[in-house]
Structures are given as structure tokens and as C-alpha cells.
Amino acid sequence: MNDLQKLEQLISASVSPYHCIFHAAEQLSAAGFINLPLSGNWKLEKGKSYYVKAYDSTLIAFSIGNELGICPQLRLEASHTDWPCLKVKPSPEVTSNRYGRLNVEVYGGPLLGTWMDRPLSMAGKVCILTEDGQDTKTLFVDFSRPVLTIPNLAIHMNREANKGVALNPQIDMLPLASLVEEQLGKDDYFLQALAKETNILPEQILDYEIYIYNWEQGTVLGLNNEFYSSPRLDNLTSVQACLTAAIERPARKGIHVIALYDNEEIGSETKQGAASALMDRILEKVFLSLGYDRTAYLNALFDGFLLSMDVAHAIHPNHPEKCDIKNQIVMGDGVALKLAASQSYATDASVTGRLEHICRKNQVPYKKFSNRSDIRGGSTLGSISSCLLTMPTADVGIPILAMHSAREVMAVKDQEALVKMACSFFEL
């Protein structure tokens, strides 16, 4: 299976951050990684690989080399499992003129207009009361079919539509879910549908976190099949690169770690996000389990190296003026080495030099990238993680168009370059 096929499988399976973690765990388990409980006592062994799931939507995996020494070499790669979308609110049924809609809120910073007139589905988790009423448990659900759409207002009713439309999240973005035929069901059609999909009784449902996702599948396009158009390229391209590197380049010396964090799109400041102490505490557990003291752990952090992977902005064919006058990247150029004076990208000169050496040694195509000086670019979890772990960090990613759209586009060969970089990084 080539790199694009692996990415396609991940995207198809990852209809929510929870489902992304399921698929990641399946890949790791198939490769021999051992599942560990987050709060359990670990008895780790040299030469083996492990993974830990945290709070359903984050995963940290690591392999331990047979040669560790006084202070094990620490190499980390990180990406995120979430993407900008819409999320179902509590008591979401909104009925008017027999149209059953869902009350939703915006998660992250999506391009709202791109969600209109598409086949949409829902996935997430449901917290329920067990049948005996004595306990609670969590179920995971994917409707796996188009169940929603957000209809545009016809141009006949808005003649100025092609001049740009400001969309109000509370008014314009409520998905159409059903035609309500009876008054009896107008207040609970969502709850009824959720109960049916999870094969439980509606009264068992205590709470839920349900995301709306673009049901459309990815496709190769271009006169020479050079592009790939798909939902959720940001940032499942990087998630799959991390997974492939972890599986194909286990540690021989030192410790290799990958982190697949949730909540990057809303700032990472959650227990399962990169701004938490989760990574620090897991790494400390690893070192303590291997018999090292805290001094050895701290030394490993200071001498470590983190590769933060998230997508970059490719120069737009119709709006090249939106990019920096020099430091641009075109889809197909390979991996973007992301630089910013603000340190919204954590890469500095010393780290850039090390990355360029990796790329040149392993024939990984790359280009340095910076945003326009008068346009504020996005940030990544790299700067957050480097601050918390006090570790040299680089931000990299593949260039894409239509970032944060319901459907984005990339060059096929850039995924191969990113995977090659991720694998080469673990060979340091």
C-alpha cells in the first residue's frame, strides 16, 4: 500500500477525532505495538513498542530501543486529530414549517461557505446509562451515510450573493435533518435518531459529542493525476506520516515518540491537547518505568528534538499576492519548513539547519516558507509543545489549497515527501 492509499484509508475512517484514534490504534496494534492504560503501572521493556490512548481523542505511541545509555536520545513527532467543522449542541431540534433542523455551533475556524449544499453526516460519542441503571458507559457512533445538508439561499432571493455573503452561524448554518410529519416527534427527532443508530433507548442517553463531517470521499484529479482533493487533509496528512514513521522506523537507540493530539483547532488548551501536561507526564512515566531518575528525564528533554507536522499554505493560483514575495511554496514542491519571527512556528535557525541536512541526505524535497509580513498566519502545536517541553522544535507540513475548507487539495507526491521526512527524522 502506497502513502496516498494509507492516507485515503485514514481519512475515510476518521469521521471524528475519536474514530481517528481508533484507526491509528488499529495500525499500531497490527504492527505489534502494545496498548497501555493511561493511569496503570507500566513495566516497559527495551526493544518493544507501546501506545496510550488519552480521553478518547488523543494517542501517544513510543518505541524503546535496545541501546539507551545513561541518557536516552529522545525524538518526538506530533500532529493533530481534529479539523474545523460544526458540532451539535444540546437539545438541538429546531422545527419550523415542518423542517427539522439541528442547532449547531462552530468548532475551530472553518470556511463556512464550503459546507453549504454538501452531503453531510454525523459521528462522535454518546454517554449512556447502562440498562440496569447502575453505571454509565461511552458508545461511539458514525451514521456512515448522508443525513444532513445546509442549503444555500437561491440567488433569486439574494441577488448580491456573488458579491460575497456573510454567513451567520446561528442562522445560516443550521443543517436540514428531516421533514417532521407529526407534532409528536418535533422535539426529539435527533435524540430518536441517535438512539436508533446506537441501538439503545432514548432515555438511556445522558450526553453526547457529535461532530458533523463532510461525507464526500477523496479523489485524485488533474490532467496527470497530480492532485488529491479530500476533506480533512488538515491535518490527517500529518497524522498518517507520524503513524508510518513510528511503524516503519522503530527506535534502535533511544526512544521514538509520536503524539496525535486533539483540539489544536481551538487552541490546544484541554487535557487532551498539546497545551496540557499530558506529554510531559507520559514521558516521565516512560523514563521512570525504565529505571531512570528525573535528572536523566530532564536531560533527555533538553537534548531532544520535536518535529511538529501541520499543513502549510500553498501559493494560490488565482491570488499569488496573498503569499510572501519570496518565501512561497507550490503544491508539488515537497515539504514546507515553516518559519516565523513571532515563533508561531517554533523553527529557529539551528533547527532549520538540522532539518535541511536531513532532507538533503535523504533526498526529501523541501522549501522554506513564511507568511506575508502583513498577513497573520495560523499557528501550530509546535510552539506550544516546545514551550512546555523546553525542547528544540521544528514546524513542517505539506502545502495545500483551501485550508479549513470542507474539502481541501494537495499534490499527491507531497505526501510521499512528508512521510519520507518523518521516517528520516527517526533515523537521526
Side-chain angles (χ1 to χ4, degrees):
M1 189 182 301
N2 64 33
D3 292 320
L4 182 62
Q5 290 169 330
K6 291 177 184 177
L7 176 61
E8 286 182 304
Q9 282 196 357
L10 179 68
I11 291 173
S12 180
S14 299
V15 292
S16 77
Y18 314 119
H19 292 81
C20 178
I21 293 305
F22 289 147
H23 189 73
E26 287 175 1
Q27 288 191 51
L28 293 167
S29 294
F33 281 67
I34 301 166
N35 186 13
L36 295 171
L38 180 62
S39 60
N41 293 323
W42 297 349
K43 296 180 180 179
L44 306 180
E45 298 179 35
K46 294 179 181 179
K48 292 191 175 181
S49 300
Y50 305 86
Y51 70 90
V52 186
K53 291 189 284 187
Y55 313 114
D56 300 327
S57 59
T58 287
L59 181 147
I60 293 173
F62 54 93
S63 61
I64 303 168
N66 285 307
E67 301 175 41
L68 296 180
I70 297 173
C71 181
Q73 182 187 70
L74 196 54
R75 294 290 177 266
L76 280 73
E77 295 181 358
S79 55
H80 64 88
T81 61
D82 61 327
W83 52 87
C85 62
L86 301 170
K87 195 172 180 182
V88 180
K89 284 184 174 180
S91 303
E93 295 88 355
V94 180
T95 306
S96 60
N97 299 310
R98 292 182 45 228
Y99 291 129
R101 297 172 294 156
L102 296 184
N103 191 16
V104 298
E105 58 186 319
V106 174
Y107 177 91
L111 280 166
L112 293 178
T114 66
W115 287 81
M116 313 293 282
D117 306 321
R118 292 185 185 272
L120 306 174
S121 192
M122 297 184 287
K125 68 179 179 180
V126 187
C127 300
I128 70 166
L129 193 66
T130 54
E131 290 184 5
D132 60 11
Q134 300 302 307
D135 202 359
T136 62
K137 67 177 180 179
T138 300
L139 304 176
F140 296 90
V141 61
D142 175 17
F143 280 72
S144 301
R145 65 190 187 280
V147 291
L148 307 173
T149 192
I150 306 172
N152 253 306
L153 186 63
I155 196 167
H156 312 78
M157 300 175 183
N158 182 8
R159 296 288 182 179
E160 303 298 307
N162 288 329
K163 296 181 180 179
V165 178
L167 296 172
N168 184 308
Q170 189 63 69
I171 297 172
D172 300 303
M173 300 308 297
L174 303 193
L176 178 64
S178 180
L179 277 174
V180 180
E181 300 293 346
E182 299 179 10
Q183 283 294 106
L184 190 62
K186 71 181 182 66
D187 294 326
D188 66 351
Y189 48 83
F190 171 76
L191 203 64
Q192 291 286 347
L194 191 57
K196 182 179 179 181
E197 203 66 31
T198 49
N199 198 30
I200 58 172
L201 298 172
E203 53 266 31
Q204 286 181 262
I205 297 176
L206 300 173
D207 203 2
Y208 53 80
E209 288 190 34
I210 301 296
Y211 296 87
I212 294 172
Y213 70 90
N214 181 4
W215 180 80
E216 296 169 324
Q217 301 302 300
T219 184
V220 173
L221 55 84
L223 295 178
N224 299 301
N225 294 327
E226 59 265 62
F227 302 121
Y228 184 64
S229 168
S230 175
R232 305 184 286 282
L233 295 180
D234 177 8
N235 188 32
L236 296 183
T237 53
S238 302
V239 169
Q240 186 56 56
C242 284
L243 288 167
T244 300
I247 291 167
E248 296 186 1
R249 299 295 189 276
R252 295 187 301 272
K253 296 190 298 182
I255 301 172
H256 292 173
V257 186
I258 64 166
L260 313 179
Y261 291 112
D262 194 9
N263 300 139
E264 190 274 345
E265 298 292 356
I266 55 170
S268 296
E269 293 183 348
T270 62
K271 63 185 180 302
Q272 60 270 11
S276 74
L278 179 65
M279 175 61 88
D280 175 55
R281 288 172 181 170
I282 286 178
L283 288 177
E284 186 171 9
K285 283 188 70 171
V286 170
F287 274 72
L288 292 175
S289 177
L290 291 170
Y292 290 96
D293 60 19
R294 185 161 175 78
T295 298
Y297 168 54
L298 294 176
N299 287 338
L301 287 181
F302 293 137
D303 292 336
F305 196 176
L306 167 62
L307 190 68
S308 166
M309 292 190 280
D310 203 346
V311 291
H313 294 287
I315 189 168
H316 197 286
N318 300 331
H319 292 282
E321 75 281 358
K322 294 295 184 179
C323 284
D324 185 67
I325 58 176
K326 292 282 289 184
N327 301 293
Q328 310 159 351
I329 189 164
V330 175
M331 290 188 300
D333 278 349
V335 181
L337 308 188
K338 300 159 74 173
L339 305 164
S342 66
Q343 284 289 281
S344 56
Y345 307 139
T347 322
D348 60 27
S350 299
V351 168
T352 303
R354 294 173 73 181
L355 279 184
E356 289 193 87
H357 174 66
I358 293 171
C359 290
R360 293 176 182 181
K361 180 180 177 182
N362 295 280
Q363 290 81 53
V364 178
Y366 74 94
K367 212 168 184 186
K368 294 179 184 177
F369 167 83
S370 294
N371 290 296
R372 268 186 69 111
S373 300
D374 55 355
I375 295 179
R376 180 180 176 271
S379 59
T380 73
L381 54 83
S383 56
I384 294 169
S385 296
S386 67
C387 180
L388 291 170
L389 297 175
T390 57
M391 178 184 295
T393 301
D395 273 297
V396 304
I398 65 167
I400 69 170
L401 292 175
M403 192 186 295
H404 287 199
S405 169
R407 193 176 185 103
E408 300 156 325
V409 65
M410 59 177 272
V412 170
K413 66 180 184 179
D414 288 339
Q415 183 66 16
E416 299 169 9
L418 184 66
V419 170
K420 194 172 185 180
M421 170 177 272
C423 290
S424 300
F425 178 82
F426 275 156
E427 292 173 348
L428 272 177

